[in-house]
Amino acid sequence: MELVFEYIEALESLILEYLPTIIVVAVIVGTYIFMNRPPPAARPPVKAAVKPTVSKVKAPKTTSNAPREKNGIKIFFGTQTRTAEDFSHILEKESKKIGIPCEVADLEGYDPEELKDESFVMFLVATHGEGDPTDNAKEFYLWLTSEDRVADLNGLPFTVFGLGNKTYEHYNSVARVMDKRLEDIGGKRVFERGEGDDDATLEEDFNHWKKKMWPVVCEYLGYELKATEEEKFVPRFRMINVDKDGRDIEESHVRIVSSNPVTKKSSDKKIIYDIKNPYLATVVENRELHGLESDRSCKHIEFDVGNNISYSTGDHLGIYPLNDSQLVQQLLQRLGVDGNHLFALVPRDKSGNIINASLGPMTLERAFTEHLDITNPPRKSVLKALSEYTADPSEKQRLLYLSSEDGNEEYNQFIKHDFRSIGEILSNFPGLKPPIGEFLELCPRLPARYYSISSSPNHKNGIISITSVVVNFHTPTQRFHNGVASTWLSNLKVGDKVPLFVRESHFRLPSQYYSSTTTTTTTTVTTTTTTTTPPPIIMVGPGTGLAPFRGFLQEIHHYQSSKSLEISESMLFFGCRSENVDYLYKQELVDYTDKGTLKDLTVAFSRQNSEKVYVQHKLLEHKEKVWNLLSQGAHFYVCGDARNMSKSVQQSLLSIIKEFGQKDENAAQKFIDDMSSSGRYLQDVWF
């Protein structure tokens, strides 16, 4: 190009004499510049997000392909169970080992308008429910997917890893939407999106992704790739012994304080209770729902929350349970520590007169009871770290093998399939003597458990109820395992306190049930009142899948009685083993049918007769009515098991649509997909 411009300057002195020649040369040069211009930024079509819908965006700005300055990496996590947060800190350690400055940040509280000013970002985000972002990522996700979001990231380098579960229909949809959206609004994807399956190989998926990711990121940022795997576990926290006032015993001038979240308040100054700040509710009822012939247990539990928490029918209740006291004492004894010992876990790189604790100040017994997950199988990274704390070479070798890639098959069998807890690991490896501080850091945190709310706020003011089946079973090692939350809940007494919060759900009745639907039209001749009748609903919920539908029926009855309005056709398909064993809320369902609140009740008994009958079979028995209601715009709801039941129900529905809608397989599936995108096909499922 420089030679071209020098040539043009040389021609200037002869311009009058050689004007025609100059014109020809100018055309040639202009053509050369145009043909060699930089290509515009890619602009692939934007796919709609599951929730919320993402519209097309403006064309992104053209950006340079050159790496930004070496200002380091910021890793954002969106998590419901802390796994994404734990993975983020693994990447942080590896990044710093390479020499890349790194910071881990919670998406909650981060100002997304600052995103364009970051140097390089990684997102580790989980998907829960029906394609929803986690609670701490919700605001950022809504900002990112906003319809008026323009291309303003100015070439921000990024990569994304998603944590999901293939049992669910919307597998890793949050990561997929964010990855696509970041590119569409001007970001530069440096490394391909990774996805982990929590139902099978989540940790392995993450390890494979980061192993391939680091060489690409190092080359992009201009760093020399170094081995990132830690040969030895390096703790991020240190344990401090404190007194009853929370002061460091060795340095009394240092005060340790709990890292309590900042209390959030609504516009009317009411405290907002959420996953980081649960409300301490009072148990007002805890009764058995199964019959005397049952060898299992299912509890109806009600909590008094007064006017401190509001909810809608279909929402979920998050509950923080307590670990079994006997298991806690066994672990404390095995580790050789006093449960009454007061401690705090603080970051190693923090100092000063006041230090925020990661855990504590509290007693060890309280930490093991309220905060540590001591029942689920430990991840490979935990086994690898524990290998440092045995003097037995054979134990060390065994733990290292179980945590290695070569040991995948044996890890899956010995740890995951056999459902070995951390306590069983300590029993199987008697030489293990981990320092209590390191053990506290390695042990995952006890996550909240979620339950479909089985009540309507209009039924009993200030009362929330759940329907909880008690989980217990023998593991392949013959250890009798009690479900942490369900067992604890089943033993609660009236007056006990429970930390809880509400998580909003999209599992909702048709909008007509939540708004005024009567309008009056007046003319010079007559006055008429037009009532918008809600569309029909079809509910499918075997076992505790009935829970949200109990709330639906309470809400419909409130609508029916308080507004004196007609309601549409409604069908409920409920499934249980037999009438005298586990027919949940039988009398309530019969009463609602007698009152006309529920128009059609069908029960599938799987153990009452010689032939096993399930809800998917009953759907086919009533296929003509189901199709007629679908043709009238019915909303179809499924609640319960995601692994088998929900898929079988969808297959029955596909069969009905094909037969009566005269559609082939693809057209029938599109019919369901269209129902889903319009909010008429909703699932609240779990595995």
Side-chain angles (χ1 to χ4, degrees), residues 309-324:
I309 289 182
S310 59
Y311 72 99
S312 297
T313 50
D315 281 345
H316 300 142
L317 195 65
I319 292 176
Y320 283 105
L322 302 182
N323 282 312
D324 178 75

Side-chain angles (χ1 to χ4, degrees), residues 409-423:
E409 186 175 342
E410 193 157 349
Y411 170 83
N412 289 334
Q413 176 64 43
F414 184 74
I415 302 295
K416 294 180 70 174
H417 176 268
D418 289 350
F419 206 75
R420 278 185 164 87
S421 66
I422 190 69

